[in-house]
Amino acid sequence: MNTSSTIETLTIPVSGMTCAGCSARVQSTLEHAPGVAAANVNLMTGSATVDYDPLTTTPELLVEAIRETGYGAELPRETESAEQMLDARDEAHSADIADLRRKVGFSLVASLLVMLFGMPKFQHAVPWFRGVSAHGWRYVLLGLTLPVVGWAGRHFYRRAWVAFRHHSADMNTLIAVGTGAAFLFSLTVTLAEDWFLAHGVAPQVYYEAVVWIIALILLGNLLEARAKARTWEALRRLIALRPATARVVRRGREDEVPLEQLRVGDEVIVRPGETIAADGVVVDGTSHVDESMLTGEPVPVFKGPGTPVTGATLNRNGTLRFRVTRVGPDTVLSHIIRLVQQAQGSKPAIQRLADRIAAVFVPVVLSLAIATFVLWFDLGPQPAYLHGLVAAVTVLIIACPCAMGLAVPTAVMVATGRGAELGVLIKGGEALERAGQTDVVVFDKTGTVTEGRPAVESVRLAADDLDQRRLLQMAASVERLSEHPLAEAIVLAAERAGVPVLPAKEFESRTGKGVAGRVEGHPVAVGNLSFMRELGLDPTPLRAAADQAGAEGKTPVYVALDGRVAALLAIGDPIKPTSQDAMARLHRLGFELVMLTGDDRRTAESVARTVGIDRVLAELSPGRKLEEIRRMQDEGRIVAMVGDGLNDAPALAQADVGIAMGTGTDVALEAGAITLLRSDLLGVVDGIALSRRSMRIIKQNLFWAFVYNVIGIPIAAGVLYPGLGILLTPAIAAAAMAASSVSVVSNSLRLRNFKEVRGKR
C-alpha cells in the first residue's frame, strides 16, 4: 500500500455489479493495483472511491483495472454537477426499470403458459390439443422457454461467462449454473427422448422451473430497483432546494437569469416567499429567513445589511438585496451535497464482515451444490440423479448473496440522507457506526453549550484612582488582534462605550490563557487567573469579585496595566435554550457528560450545574483538552467531542467521533465526523439517536441475510426430506431469494421515518 503525501481521491462509476461478491472482487482488484492506497466499492451507488498516488498510477489505469474484472467503468466527467449526476443516474435507472418491467411481464406470461401447457388435464381438456403427443408438448414448452432464457435472462448468463473468464464467480454464476443445468438437461431430454427411453429413464423436463426461476428473480430485481431509487430521495430533495432563476440587478434594471449565469459580485433581489439563489451578504433591506431546509432549525433568522444569507433558504417577510459571494459548487448547499454523496458511498467497519464472507460465498455454495448432487445420487430415491439435479439447482438459486450486498449500504444511504435533511451531516459509514457506539460525550462551553456571543456585563477596578474607560480602551486595543469570542466581547464593549481602540505593538497570544502587548508604550495583559500568575502579577485585590462572577456563571477576565492587576471584566455568555433539554435526553440515552473548557473553573461549574453536565475540567488549553480525551480513550471509553470546529479542532480530531457545531452559513464543514448545521445541542441527540437506530437496522439486515442462507441452503439441499418429506422446488427458492433482497432494502427505508427531537422552545 502506498502512503505518499501526494495521495488523490477519485470516484469511478462502475456498472454491472449485482451482489456483494461483485463489489468485493472489484475492491480487491483495486486494492492490489500499483499506487492505490485505499479503495472502497459501493454496490448501492455503483461506484468505486479510490485513494491513489498520481506519481505511480493514473485514473485511466484504474478504470482499466476495473474493466479487466469484467465490469464496466468510465472516468467521471469533471464538469458534472451533483444535479447532472443525479439526473444521469435517474435516467439510467428509469431505463433499467423499464427494461426489467418488459422482461418480467414477458417471463411471467411465458411461465404461466409453460405451467398451463405442462398440465396433462389441460392438454386433454382442449379438443384441438388432444392430438398433440407428449413429445410434441415438450417442443412447445421449449419454444416458450427459449425466449426467456435467450432474452429475458440473457444477462445472467453473459455476466456469469464474463466472471468465469476472469476466474471468479458471483450471483450470476449461481443463477446461470442452476437454470442452465435444468435447461440443458430438459433440452437433452427433448432432443434425445429415444436414448432416455432405451435406458429405462422416463423423459422428464424442467422448463417450468427454469422460466419461473428467471421470472421470479427478475421480479425481485424490479422490486429491488424500485426500492433502491427511494434511497436517493434525500439527496434529490437537497438538490431541488435551489431555485431555477435569480432576479439580478444589472445596469440599473432587474433581469431574471438562469441560476447557472449568476456570478460572484452580482446583486440579487429576493422578494417575500422566494428562495435565495446563492450565498451572499445583504446590502439592503431587512427580513426573516427560514433556514430550516439546511439547518433543521425551525425559527426564522433575522437578516439585515451586513448579515450573510445562504442559497436555498426561504425569504419570509421582507425584500432583500444581497451581493453574491459564492455560486455553483462553492456554495454551502453544494458543499453539503458533496459531503452527503461521499458519505453515501462510504462503508462502516461492520461492512468488512459482509465483504469477507462475500469473497468466499459463491465458491462455497458451488461446492455445497456439488455435494448435494453427490449425496442425492448416492443415497436418494430413484430417479436419484433427477432428485440430485433438482436439489443442487435449488441450492444454487436460494443462496444468492444479494441481500448481504445490500444490507449495509442501503442503511448508510438512507441514514446519511435523512441526517442531512435534519441538519446533521454524518460523513460516512464509519462515523455512523462510531457515533452509535459512544458512551461519553464531551462538550466545549463557549459557542457549544452557551450562545457563543459573550458580552461584558460589569467592570471592577482594583483601586479608586483608576479610570474605567481608559482600562477598557487598553484591554480592547490588544484584544482587537485576537479571534477569541471573549476578545470580541471586550472590543464591542469599548465601541459601545465610545472609546477609540488604539494601535497595539508586540502582540502575543498565549493559547488558553490570554493576550499581551504594548499600547502607547504601556505593557497591557488581558487573561485568566493562570495567565496573571504566569506573569508574576498579584490578583488578590480582585479575587473576591472574580469568585462572585464565576459563581454567577460569568467569566472573570483580568486586565493588567503597567505591571499590576488593574481591573476585572465579568463577561456573560447566555446558555442556549435547548442545552438543558439536550443534556437530559443524552442522560436518558445512558451517556456520561463531560465539559472541557479553557474558561474559569467556577464559571464552567456554574454552567454545568445549570444544564446538567456530570463532570467539568476547566482552564484547559487546546493541548490539555486533547490529552484529556486521550486519557478517556485509554480507559476504554468511546468519546464523542462536541465543539465549534475552530479552536477545538485538535480535540475534535482526537475524539472517536468529532461533532462540529455550525450555524448553516459559518460552518466548519470539514472539522468533525459529524457536522451540525443547526446551532443547538438537540442536533447532537438527533445525530447519535439516528446513528444508533441505523446500526440496529444494519445488524438486523445482516442477521436476516445470514440466517436466510444458514436456514435456506440446508432445506434446499433436502435436510428435511428424510424425516418430514419436505423438498423445496427451484421456483420457490427463487421467490425466497427475491423476497430476502427486497426485505433488506425495505427495512433500511424505515430510517426515512426517523423523527428529530424537539426542544422546549
Side-chain angles (χ1 to χ4, degrees), residues 230-455:
R230 295 164 64 192
T231 64
W232 301 328
E233 286 182 5
L235 188 58
R236 192 177 289 108
R237 282 196 291 268
L238 282 175
I239 293 172
L241 292 175
R242 294 182 293 205
T245 61
R247 192 177 291 105
V248 182
V249 179
R250 290 175 178 169
R251 295 179 295 277
R253 69 175 190 178
E254 295 181 17
D255 292 324
E256 190 132 344
V257 302
L259 198 63
E260 295 76 21
Q261 296 181 15
L262 207 57
R263 300 290 179 263
V264 173
D266 281 343
E267 291 194 0
V268 179
I269 302 293
V270 188
R271 297 194 176 113
E274 293 181 342
T275 300
I276 294 170
D279 298 356
V281 177
V282 176
V283 295
D284 188 36
T286 59
S287 182
H288 285 81
V289 174
D290 181 354
E291 297 182 339
S292 61
M293 59 282 297
L294 288 181
T295 66
E297 176 58 57
V299 180
V301 181
F302 174 79
K303 301 293 180 181
T307 58
V309 290
T310 307
T313 56
L314 182 64
N315 184 31
R316 283 292 189 191
N317 55 3
T319 298
L320 294 175
R321 181 170 177 156
F322 72 93
R323 181 178 296 108
V324 175
T325 57
R326 290 189 292 257
V327 295
D330 298 324
T331 62
V332 169
L333 178 63
S334 294
H335 200 163
I336 291 170
I337 290 169
R338 284 196 298 275
L339 288 174
V340 173
Q341 286 179 285
Q342 293 166 10
Q344 291 185 335
S346 66
K347 292 180 180 180
I350 197 171
Q351 176 71 59
R352 295 171 196 151
L353 171 63
D355 288 345
R356 284 196 297 269
I357 293 175
V360 298
F361 186 80
V362 174
V364 168
V365 170
L366 288 171
S367 301
L368 289 174
I370 293 170
T372 298
F373 177 81
V374 171
L375 287 172
W376 275 95
F377 186 82
D378 289 342
L379 306 175
Q382 293 299 321
Y385 70 94
L386 285 179
H387 284 297
L389 175 65
V390 172
V393 169
T394 306
V395 168
L396 292 170
I397 298 303
I398 205 169
C400 176
C402 294
M404 278 190 290
L406 296 170
V408 178
T410 51
V412 171
M413 284 189 71
V414 179
T416 52
R418 181 58 181 149
E421 290 181 315
L422 300 178
V424 181
L425 290 184
I426 302 173
K427 299 176 187 175
E430 188 170 352
L432 192 72
E433 182 172 9
R434 295 299 281 173
Q437 296 171 341
T438 53
D439 56 9
V440 57
V441 184
V442 176
F443 298 90
D444 176 45
K445 182 181 80 67
T446 305
T448 303
V449 178
T450 63
E451 293 284 3
R453 294 191 294 270

Side-chain angles (χ1 to χ4, degrees), residues 394-579:
T394 306
V395 168
L396 292 170
I397 298 303
I398 205 169
C400 176
C402 294
M404 278 190 290
L406 296 170
V408 178
T410 51
V412 171
M413 284 189 71
V414 179
T416 52
R418 181 58 181 149
E421 290 181 315
L422 300 178
V424 181
L425 290 184
I426 302 173
K427 299 176 187 175
E430 188 170 352
L432 192 72
E433 182 172 9
R434 295 299 281 173
Q437 296 171 341
T438 53
D439 56 9
V440 57
V441 184
V442 176
F443 298 90
D444 176 45
K445 182 181 80 67
T446 305
T448 303
V449 178
T450 63
E451 293 284 3
R453 294 191 294 270
V456 176
E457 297 188 2
S458 66
V459 181
R460 296 288 296 272
L461 303 178
D464 294 337
D465 61 337
L466 296 170
D467 184 342
Q468 178 174 315
R469 287 171 60 86
R470 175 67 171 170
L471 285 167
L472 188 58
Q473 180 183 48
M474 290 294 189
S477 296
V478 292
E479 290 285 18
R480 181 177 58 86
L481 302 176
S482 172
E483 296 180 352
H484 196 281
L486 297 182
E488 294 178 11
I490 295 170
V491 173
L492 182 60
E495 290 176 357
R496 288 176 175 170
V499 178
V501 177
L502 303 172
K505 299 179 180 178
E506 301 176 23
F507 176 79
E508 180 186 4
S509 176
R510 304 281 182 88
T511 303
K513 295 182 178 180
V515 296
R518 282 188 174 271
V519 181
E520 295 186 334
H522 297 278
V524 181
V526 185
N528 57 22
L529 178 63
S530 174
F531 190 35
M532 295 298 109
R533 287 174 171 165
E534 188 177 292
L535 296 174
L537 304 178
D538 182 14
T540 303
L542 293 170
R543 281 303 304 275
D547 291 345
Q548 181 181 351
E552 295 172 353
K554 300 180 180 66
T555 301
V557 176
Y558 293 91
V559 180
L561 179 64
D562 294 329
R564 67 167 179 157
V565 175
L568 181 88
L569 309 179
I571 301 179
D573 184 8
I575 294 172
K576 291 179 180 177
T578 57
S579 292

